[in-house]
Amino acid sequence: MQTMRALTVQPGVADSLQLETFRVPGPDRGAVLVRTLGLGVCGTDREIIAAKYGTAPPGHQRLIIGHESLGRVEEAPKGSGLSAGDLVIGIVRHPDPVPCENCAAGEWDMCRNGLYTEHGINSLDGFGSEFWRLDPEYVVRLDQTLGFHGVLTEPASVVAKAWDHTERIGRRAHWDPRRVLVTGAGPVGLLAALLGVQRKLEVHVLDRTTEGIKPQLVRDLGAVYHSGGLDELPADFDVIMECTGAPSLVFAVAGRASPDGIVCLAGVSEVGATRQVDVGTLNRSIVLGDRVIFGSVNANRRHYQAAIEALAAADASWLSRLITRRVPLDRWRDGFTLEHDDVKTVIDFAPAA
Ligand SMILES: [Zn+2]
Ligand SMILES: [Zn+2]
């Protein structure tokens, strides 16, 4: 019997993260068997570990954590377009079983009934195990040259969707954007800035940090870094990507948008984050300036492909520096604590001996 190590939590119980040993899943869990190389860790994982989020699969107490995958195919059925040795990642969200109109159309990221499931988050085991299985339609093949940077595909897919929808909204009228503001220089903000620079836009990034690697990562993209207050910035941004969810920024950023400007909210705030907002000013800004504020989450297959293209076109050494820590699976606990100046931490499932 072949076994594997897997990182599990008991949803609803804080700090229940453990490394357990299970049998490698059989073909009933999917025709493609993948051996894990890396697992990206993000705020969603830390929220699940803090018992603020997450659901175990039906009939189970524990959930295998992890949704930012990278692995190599061990077995794949003939005709699936996949073969042993392929570098792959798994798609996080599965359509709801009904399915709703959007899930039926392959846009499960826009699910209308909320009955979707998500690996490592919501009712499906995640990718934080030495092996996982999926059906071929949920496996995305990466170019071999992407190597370990492929672990950034899932967070980049979320950003690719935010840009895709921003551009669709922009095309409601003549659209010639020039300046972009990104709030937050975490992995999502930095990837949002990367995709903005790749679109030949003038990108500005606002974060509280004044030191460490984040300002340099922004400057190395050719973007402008700001660490002062929002009010110090001009109010002429055509696109604003709000990537923090910070209550002080969520609506305040709209005041920095140009007429016709588009504000994409991509950060998730805590429930109960009350704030006084001048609804009159906000309404006037939106209505009298044709401004749009919209939310964006998750991604469908089209966005995963866009993410792969964006990562392939990025400077490889910049992507390497975005991965600030690579923690071997044996020291898994270190991978889930947030250290000063962390951008993206990855659990390395196959560290070189
Ligand atoms: Zn994530
Ligand atoms: Zn749906």
Side-chain angles (χ1 to χ4, degrees):
M1 183 184 80
Q2 210 187 355
T3 61
M4 64 176 192
R5 292 176 295 169
L7 291 159
T8 69
V9 290
Q10 185 171 343
V13 177
D15 298 320
S16 62
L17 189 65
Q18 282 178 8
L19 188 66
E20 294 188 84
T21 301
F22 294 114
R23 209 166 11 159
V24 172
D28 56 310
R29 297 283 285 271
V32 183
L33 177 66
V34 176
R35 180 192 289 267
T36 297
L37 293 174
L39 180 77
V41 175
C42 79
T44 301
D45 298 309
R46 284 187 284 270
E47 280 197 4
I48 293 170
I49 293 165
K52 291 181 184 167
Y53 209 62
T55 314
H60 289 235
Q61 273 216 316
R62 299 191 71 87
L63 168 75
I64 297 178
I65 201 168
H67 56 275
E68 300 183 6
S69 61
L70 178 71
R72 271 194 204 285
V73 172
E74 290 270 311
E75 301 167 16
K78 279 202 171 53
S80 66
L82 296 164
S83 36
D86 281 353
L87 193 66
V88 294
I89 61 145
I91 287 178
V92 175
R93 191 179 285 192
H94 284 231
D96 77 80
V98 175
C100 75
E101 301 89 323
N102 285 60
C103 284
E107 294 206 344
W108 52 75
D109 57 315
M110 301 294 283
C111 180
R112 292 174 63 81
N113 63 22
L115 300 175
Y116 59 81
T117 50
E118 291 177 327
H119 287 284
I121 303 171
N122 178 6
S123 306
L124 291 175
D125 274 328
F127 303 119
S129 48
E130 289 176 293
F131 294 91
W132 43 265
R133 277 185 177 273
L134 277 183
D135 282 326
E137 61 264 41
Y138 297 106
V139 178
V140 183
R141 203 165 75 89
L142 309 181
D143 197 278
Q144 296 284 352
T145 57
L146 214 46
F148 202 74
H149 298 153
V151 77
L152 298 169
T153 307
E154 195 280 336
S157 75
V158 170
V159 167
K161 173 184 174 180
W163 272 107
D164 174 35
H165 283 209
T166 298
E167 287 167 335
R168 284 163 187 264
I169 295 166
R171 288 195 292 271
R172 71 199 155 139
H174 176 74
W175 169 243
D176 185 18
R178 289 190 175 82
R179 285 159 63 81
V180 181
L181 173 64
V182 175
T183 49
V188 173
L190 287 166
L191 289 167
L194 169 71
L195 269 68
V197 169
Q198 288 180 340
R199 284 161 168 75
K200 309 268 185 268
L201 300 169
E202 180 190 315
V203 178
H204 295 251
V205 178
L206 177 73
D207 194 283
R208 285 181 299 199
T209 311
T210 54
E211 43 159 57
I213 194 173
K214 290 176 181 177
Q216 200 52 49
L217 282 168
V218 169
R219 289 185 195 114
D220 290 348
L221 278 179
V224 185
Y225 188 81
H226 302 269
S227 59
L230 191 62
D231 297 343
E232 293 165 30
L233 297 176
D236 62 350
F237 291 102
D238 303 297
V239 173
I240 299 177
M241 297 267 173
E242 203 301 292
C243 302
T244 70
S248 60
L249 290 177
V250 169
F251 286 112
V253 288
R256 301 294 105 195
S258 66
D260 310 347
I262 300 170
V263 178
C264 173
L265 300 182
V268 182
S269 310
E270 294 253 357
V271 172
T274 54
R275 211 80 189 176
Q276 283 217 322
V277 174
D278 177 348
V279 176
T281 301
L282 185 63
N283 167 279
R284 280 171 170 255
S285 153
I286 296 171
V287 176
L288 302 179
D290 292 293
R291 294 178 178 87
V292 176
I293 302 176
F294 80 102
S296 180
V297 73
N298 199 256
N300 64 45
R301 191 176 260 276
R302 189 172 80 235
H303 305 125
Y304 281 85
Q305 287 306 339
I308 292 166
E309 284 162 30
L311 293 175
D315 176 46
S317 71
W318 188 85
L319 294 177
S320 290
R321 287 189 295 140
L322 199 67
I323 300 173
T324 37
R325 281 198 296 142
R326 238 169 114 155
V327 178
L329 181 60
D330 289 336
R331 293 199 286 111
W332 55 276
R333 212 176 274 281
D334 296 345
F336 290 89
T337 53
L338 198 57
E339 285 184 11
H340 176 67
D341 220 23
D342 271 346
V343 180
K344 175 58 72 183
T345 304
V346 178
I347 312 275
D348 193 339
F349 275 66

